[in-house]
């Protein structure tokens, strides 16, 4: 009995010593101990846990407050000018709020940038391009899908995109007849989901044909995005959840199992009679990638991210865009007149040349900033220089695009939807705003699906605005105001989304 008591006391003493050493190291000995920031944030991840899990997606706003605080607080022995733009936000990570440093942190392929393992664990898909950490492995994996999302490849699938928009138009026409309001978040989610699933697997999930299925997928993907911070803190939860039977599987697990099933059918050649064989995963299957890069687990992870990120972000941006257009009827008139001037078939290439439509799309991406989560990067072999600071090699360092997108310094009246600001910017390149436009991030790890998103935004907006007359239904600016940020921006919990009535169909 005495032996067990001594062992217990020794264990407690060891734990106490280890804890004290950890506190001293993190506060005073860590390579980033000199950087300003709350001591509690430097000490423990529970600080971030409180804001992101307990308060639900509020850490992005707390980080902004840190910058504001340390811009005004002069630390002993420090140059006041260089405090606020960089803060320590957890024991290992720094955050920068600066208008001109983005291109350095999110550099192109000439400089190595890797991801932060703790952070990317939130997606639960380590085999995906998005969550790949090493620079060289990321290049290999991305090279396998890059050409699918090139301008040329996306232009080639315009007929498929238009066909899906036509299906959505049939839904809007039916709602016009029934006089039932439409939730644009759900409708656009069904559209983008069917487009990306068709492109990935050769057959769509059918959300545009089944309203119940559309609602299920909308809530499923919304839950997947919302749970990302939880899995960052507790990555083992996904492994525990994977043991659950289908009957009680939650939305995240259902999404992952669906990807595994779809990719598995492709790898086993089980869909040769029902699906096209020239899609993302069919081509990867038949490529000369190393065998380990074509295993089911790896490609199922890729499917998780492509479906999730490839549908929700664009759908939410479309909903934001339509809200602001419908709130400003004069913009609808101007946009419709501009689209009506397009000669021949409406194509993405023609639409991109329309100045007001381009301004509307760009402004929706800016003001909506759907992918507003911070994106940590590390420079694995070289120190980074930021003003007078030296950031040690390997230190996770992040920036947040919404701080730049909503900066009154760059964008006067930043919360005002003003498409003309981009038209003025193009006419005055010397003072252009494009440098500060970051919805898809930048550098070697910028969003691979950018061209697909643009094609969907341009074609959907033009085709629907040209054909239908909409009216907002019990929807206000509060329904598009950013309330929290988990993986993507989210609105207030009691928001019912951007809802509209379809008043008329100009094609009958």
């Amino acid at each position: 009995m005495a032996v067990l008591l001594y062992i217990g006391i020794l264990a407690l003493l060891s734990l106490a010593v280890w804890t004290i050493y950890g506190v001293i190291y993190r506060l005073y000995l860590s390579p980033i101990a000199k950087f300003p920031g709350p001591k509690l944030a430097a000490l423990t991840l529970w600080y971030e846990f409180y804001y992101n899990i307990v308060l639900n997606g509020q850490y992005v706003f707390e980080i902004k407050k840190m910058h504001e605080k340390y811009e005004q607080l002069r630390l002993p022995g420090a140059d006041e000018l260089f405090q606020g733009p960089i803060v320590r936000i957890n024991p290992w990570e720094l955050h920068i709020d600066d208008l001109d440093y983005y291109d350095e942190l999110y550099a192109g392929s000439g400089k190595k940038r890797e991801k932060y393992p703790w952070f990317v664990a939130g997606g639960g898909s380590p085999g995906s391009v998005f969550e790949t950490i090493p620079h060289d492995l990321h290049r290999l994996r991305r090279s396998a899908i890059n050409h699918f999302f090139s301008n040329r490849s996306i232009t080639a699938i315009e007929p498929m995109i238009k066909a899906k928009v036509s299906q959505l138009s049939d839904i809007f026409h039916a709602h016009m007849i029934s006089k039932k309001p439409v939730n644009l978040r759900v409708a656009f989610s069904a559209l983008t989901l069917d487009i990306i699933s068709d492109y990935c697997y050769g057959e769509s999930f059918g959300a545009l044909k089944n309203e119940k299925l559309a609602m299920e997928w909308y809530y499923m993907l919304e839950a997947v995005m919302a749970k990302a911070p939880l899995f960052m803190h507790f990555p083992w939860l996904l492994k525990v959840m994977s043991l659950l039977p289908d009957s009680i599987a939650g939305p995240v697990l259902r999404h992952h199992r669906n990807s595994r099933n779809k990719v598995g059918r492709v790898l086993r050649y089980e869909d040769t009679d029902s699906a096209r064989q020239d899609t993302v995963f069919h081509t990867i299957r038949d490529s000369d990638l190393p065998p380990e890069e074509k295993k089911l687990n790896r490609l199922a992870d890729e499917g998780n991210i492509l479906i999730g990120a490839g549908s929700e972000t664009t759908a939410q941006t479309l909903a934001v865009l339509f809200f602001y257009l419908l709130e400003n009827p004069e913009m609808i008139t101007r946009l419709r007149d501009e689209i009506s001037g397009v000669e021949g078939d409406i194509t993405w290439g023609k639409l991109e040349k329309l100045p007001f439509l381009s301004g509307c799309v760009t402004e929706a991406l800016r003001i909506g900033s759907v992918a507003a989560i911070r994106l940590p990067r590390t420079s694995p072999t070289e120190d980074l220089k930021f003003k007078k600071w030296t950031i040690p090699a390997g230190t996770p360092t992040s920036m947040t695009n919404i701080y730049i997108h909503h900066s009154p310094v760059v964008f006067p009246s930043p919360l005002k939807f003003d498409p003309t600001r981009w038209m003025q910017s193009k006419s005055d390149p010397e003072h252009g705003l494009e440098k500060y436009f970051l919805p898809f991030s930048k550098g070697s790890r910028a969003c691979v699906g950018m061209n697909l998103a643009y094609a969907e935004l341009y074609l959907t907006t033009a085709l629907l605005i040209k054909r239908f007359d909409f009216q907002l239904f019990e929807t206000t600016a509060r329904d598009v105001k950013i309330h929290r940020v988990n993986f993507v921006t989210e609105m207030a919990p009691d928001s019912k989304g951007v809802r509209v009535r379809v008043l008329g169909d100009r094609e009958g």
Side-chain angles (χ1 to χ4, degrees):
M1 189 69 179
V3 173
L4 291 176
L5 179 61
Y6 289 142
I7 292 174
I9 293 173
L10 183 60
L12 289 173
L13 286 173
S14 298
L15 179 61
V17 170
W18 180 252
T19 301
I20 292 170
Y21 169 75
V23 169
I24 294 172
Y25 176 81
R26 291 183 179 185
L27 293 182
Y28 304 106
L29 304 178
S30 165
I32 59 173
K34 61 185 177 183
F35 290 88
K39 294 300 182 185
L40 194 55
L43 192 59
T44 176
L45 283 169
W46 289 107
Y47 189 82
E48 180 169 346
F49 178 91
Y50 173 74
Y51 283 97
N52 256 356
I53 308 302
V54 178
L55 297 185
N56 194 356
Q58 298 302 301
Y59 204 43
V60 64
F61 307 115
E62 178 61 19
I63 292 172
K64 185 63 175 176
K65 291 177 183 177
M66 292 182 199
H67 285 292
E68 293 168 351
K69 174 181 177 181
Y70 288 96
E71 278 179 358
Q72 302 173 22
L73 180 64
R74 181 167 184 164
L75 302 183
D79 185 339
E80 181 180 13
L81 181 61
F82 298 101
Q83 288 306 307
I86 187 166
V87 292
R88 186 181 181 185
I89 61 172
N90 68 37
W92 301 281
E93 184 183 345
L94 302 173
H95 189 279
I96 293 173
D97 183 14
D98 183 85
L99 292 175
D100 299 310
Y101 195 70
Y102 204 93
D103 288 338
E104 175 63 22
L105 183 59
Y106 301 91
S109 57
K111 297 182 180 180
K112 283 193 174 184
R113 294 292 184 266
E114 298 188 346
K115 291 202 171 181
Y116 175 20
W118 177 81
F119 192 85
V120 297
S125 303
S128 66
V129 169
F130 178 77
E131 294 186 26
T132 299
I133 296 165
H135 175 82
D136 293 332
L137 181 57
H138 173 266
R139 289 183 66 179
L140 173 69
R141 289 176 172 174
R142 178 147 178 159
S143 67
I145 62 173
N146 258 345
H147 69 282
F148 284 102
F149 296 96
S150 68
N151 189 295
R152 181 177 179 179
S153 294
I154 298 304
T155 299
I157 66 165
E158 272 193 51
M160 183 266 283
I161 296 174
K162 288 183 176 180
K164 304 300 184 192
V165 176
S166 179
Q167 286 183 258
L168 179 60
S169 297
D170 291 342
I171 293 173
F172 285 153
H173 184 85
H175 278 264
M176 179 194 72
I177 294 172
S178 69
K179 302 188 185 306
K180 290 174 56 179
V182 184
N183 186 331
L184 291 184
R185 276 291 287 110
V186 177
F188 289 142
S189 181
L191 171 69
T192 54
L193 176 66
D194 275 4
I195 291 172
I196 189 62
S197 58
D198 194 313
Y199 198 37
C200 284
Y201 302 120
E203 50 189 356
S204 71
F205 288 174
L208 286 168
K209 296 180 179 179
N210 186 322
E211 185 176 356
K212 181 181 178 182
L213 183 64
M215 291 294 294
E216 288 177 357
W217 269 102
Y218 168 68
Y219 287 118
M220 183 189 303
L221 292 176
E222 185 180 57
V224 168
M225 301 295 179
K227 293 292 188 296
L230 182 65
F231 297 133
M232 290 178 197
H233 289 275
F234 306 113
W236 50 267
L237 274 177
L238 277 170
K239 294 181 180 179
V240 173
M241 289 168 56
S242 68
L243 302 175
L244 297 175
D246 291 342
S247 58
I248 58 173
V252 176
L253 189 57
R254 289 201 302 273
H255 174 47
H256 285 207
R257 286 180 177 172
N258 182 73
S259 296
R260 188 177 181 86
N261 176 57
K262 291 289 186 180
V263 171
R265 293 186 70 236
V266 172
L267 295 181
R268 294 188 297 269
Y269 296 86
E270 293 177 358
D271 63 348
T272 54
D273 295 330
S274 61
R276 301 191 325 275
Q277 301 295 296
D278 58 349
T279 70
V280 175
F281 287 104
H282 293 90
T283 305
I284 291 177
R285 178 196 65 193
D286 299 332
S287 72
D288 58 359
L289 276 175
E292 63 271 16
E293 288 300 305
K294 298 194 284 185
K295 289 184 177 180
L296 177 57
N297 286 346
R298 212 287 285 180
L299 295 182
D301 285 347
E302 200 73 86
N304 293 340
I305 299 299
L306 287 176
I307 294 298
S311 58
E312 278 306 283
T313 50
T314 308
Q316 188 165 318
T317 302
L318 279 167
V320 169
L321 172 55
F322 271 66
F323 169 79
Y324 283 111
L325 289 176
L326 294 173
E327 195 183 40
N328 297 276
E330 72 282 359
M331 291 188 185
I332 292 282
T333 301
R334 181 174 180 178
L335 190 58
R336 190 172 282 140
D337 289 344
E338 188 179 64
I339 295 167
S340 298
V342 175
E343 296 181 0
D345 291 339
I346 288 179
T347 66
W348 174 32
K350 292 177 182 178
L351 295 174
E352 281 190 310
K353 297 175 182 177
L354 302 182
F356 189 65
L357 174 58
S358 294
C360 290
V361 168
T362 306
E363 185 71 343
L365 286 164
R366 179 198 70 83
I367 203 169
S369 292
V370 173
I373 194 170
R374 71 184 195 267
L375 297 171
R377 297 287 187 268
T378 68
S379 173
T381 57
E382 297 179 342
D383 293 345
L384 292 175
K385 299 292 185 181
F386 173 66
K387 297 186 183 293
K388 289 186 176 180
W389 295 100
T390 297
I391 302 171
T395 301
T397 306
S398 56
M399 296 182 72
T400 305
N401 67 11
I402 196 173
Y403 298 171
I404 298 175
H405 284 169
H406 290 186
S407 168
V409 175
V410 181
F411 302 101
S413 303
L415 298 184
K416 178 183 177 182
F417 185 80
D418 181 10
T420 62
R421 73 170 90 231
W422 298 100
M423 298 165 69
Q424 295 164 1
S425 175
K426 288 186 180 299
S427 65
D428 184 14
E430 187 175 338
H431 300 92
L433 301 176
E434 283 70 19
K435 176 181 178 181
Y436 306 105
F437 182 62
L438 312 163
F440 303 102
S441 190
K442 284 188 175 182
S444 59
R445 294 185 181 241
C447 175
V448 71
M450 176 173 61
N451 286 320
L452 176 59
Y454 271 126
E456 291 173 329
L457 288 166
Y458 275 94
L459 289 167
T460 303
T461 303
L463 293 170
L464 294 181
I465 291 297
K466 182 182 180 183
R467 176 171 173 179
F468 293 102
D469 294 312
F470 298 102
Q471 182 183 68
L472 290 172
F473 174 75
E474 295 181 1
T475 300
T476 68
R478 183 176 180 275
D479 294 299
V480 294
K481 181 181 179 182
I482 298 170
H483 181 79
R484 56 195 176 196
V485 177
N486 286 306
F487 189 83
V488 296
T489 56
E490 299 174 37
M491 312 312 144
D494 60 344
S495 171
K496 295 181 180 179
V498 177
R499 294 180 294 165
V500 301
R501 288 192 185 279
V502 185
L503 302 181
D505 183 344
R506 292 167 181 251
E507 295 182 7

